Amino acid sequence: MDTSSQTYDLENGPEHPYHLVNPSVWPLASAFAAGLLAVGGVLYMHEVEVFGMPVGLKGAVIGLLAVLGCMFFWWKDVIHESVKERAHTKVAKIGFRYGMTLFIASEVMFFFAFFWAFFHAAYYPSEAIGGIWPPADIEAIPAFDLPFLMTMILLLSGCTLTWAHHEIIEGNQKEFLRGLGLTVILGIIFTGLQAYEYHHAAFGFGANIYTSTFYMATGFHGFHVLVGTIFLAVCWFRGRKGHFTQKSHFGFEAAAWYWHFVDVVWLFLFASVYWWGGA
C-alpha cells in the first residue's frame, strides 16, 4: 500500500491503525555514519597512520558530522510525516511513547554504571589514594556553593517546563512558548555554570579514581543537559510554527520526559557526588 500521497486526520488517523513508513535511506546512511565515527575514534585513540599520515581527530570529526547530518534529515522526515502528511496514528504515537520510555530506561542504566563506580571506590578506597574518601590531596568542590545554585536552576527549569506542558494542553500557545523559552535559557545558564566550575576546579580528570568518577558522572550529565537544551530549543522553534496542538504534541512531551530525567539524575549526583562523596 502506497502511503506517500495520503493525508491522514491528525487525531483519528487512517482507516487502519498503523503507520506504513515510506522507504528511507537514512537508517542505512546512519549505520555507515556511526561506523565511520567508531572507526575514526579508534584510529585517533591508537594514533594510527594511513598512507604515512596520522589520522588524528579528522576521522572522528567527519564521522560525527555524518551522524549529525543523518539525525537532522531523518528527524526532518519524521516531522514531515507528522505535520504535513499527518500520518502518525494513535497506535503509532503509542509506539513512540514505548520507544522513548525504553530509551530513558537505557539512560538510567548508563548512569547506574557511573554511580556504581563512584560508590565502590568510596566505600572501598584503595591504598593508592590513602585509604580514605575523598583522597587527602583532593580539594573537593563544596556542595552548597556553586553546585547548590546549579541544583536550584535545574529544579526551576523543571517548573517552567511543567508550566509549558500545562499551557499546551490548555491550547495556550503564547504561554507555552514563554515557559519553554525560559526552560531553554535556564538550561544554557546551567551549562555555563558547569563550565565555570570545571575551569576553576582544583583537580584534573586523571589525578585518581575520585577525579575520574567525578568528571565522568557530572560530565556526561552536563552533556545530557546540552542535548536536552537543544531538544527543547528545537521544540520551541517547532511550537512557533504551530507544529504542536492540544491533542498532538508528543515531540514536546518526549523532550519534557528527557529533561525531567536529567533533573532527577542531577539530584542524585548532588546528593551523592557533591554532598556525601565530597564531605
Side-chain angles (χ1 to χ4, degrees), residues 92-268:
K93 292 174 184 177
I94 292 173
F96 286 146
R97 282 173 166 77
Y98 278 128
M100 192 65 192
T101 301
L102 292 173
F103 170 70
I104 292 177
S106 72
E107 292 284 270
V108 170
M109 302 311 297
F110 177 80
F111 278 101
F112 182 82
F114 295 131
F115 282 108
W116 183 285
F118 184 85
F119 280 110
H120 177 77
Y123 276 112
Y124 305 101
S126 64
E127 294 182 4
I129 59 173
I132 60 172
W133 191 267
D137 59 340
I138 292 297
E139 183 183 344
I141 298 173
F144 291 93
D145 195 347
L146 193 59
F148 183 73
L149 175 61
M150 294 161 67
T151 302
M152 293 298 102
I153 289 173
L154 269 192
L155 290 177
L156 180 59
S157 73
C159 295
T160 57
L161 186 59
T162 302
W163 168 32
H165 196 177
H166 174 78
E167 295 300 337
I168 191 63
I169 292 174
E170 294 294 321
N172 192 336
Q173 284 289 127
K174 183 178 179 181
E175 294 302 310
F176 162 69
L177 291 174
R178 183 174 296 174
L180 185 55
L182 286 174
T183 308
V184 172
I185 292 172
L186 290 170
I188 294 172
I189 293 173
F190 179 91
T191 301
L193 289 176
Q194 188 169 45
Y196 178 86
E197 176 189 79
Y198 281 2
H199 181 71
H200 290 83
F203 49 85
F205 179 87
N208 50 54
I209 185 64
Y210 174 86
T211 61
S212 297
T213 52
F214 172 86
Y215 279 113
M216 287 294 288
T218 61
F220 268 108
H221 177 270
F223 173 74
H224 281 71
V225 170
L226 178 61
V227 171
T229 302
I230 296 172
F231 199 173
L232 293 172
V234 170
C235 288
W236 187 85
F237 284 108
R238 290 189 62 195
R240 287 200 63 185
K241 291 185 177 183
H243 289 185
F244 301 128
T245 65
Q246 283 180 277
K247 295 184 178 180
S248 182
H249 51 266
F250 176 71
F252 165 71
E253 279 188 319
W257 293 359
Y258 185 86
W259 193 257
H260 289 311
F261 160 74
V262 169
D263 282 358
V264 172
V265 171
W266 177 258
L267 291 177
F268 281 102

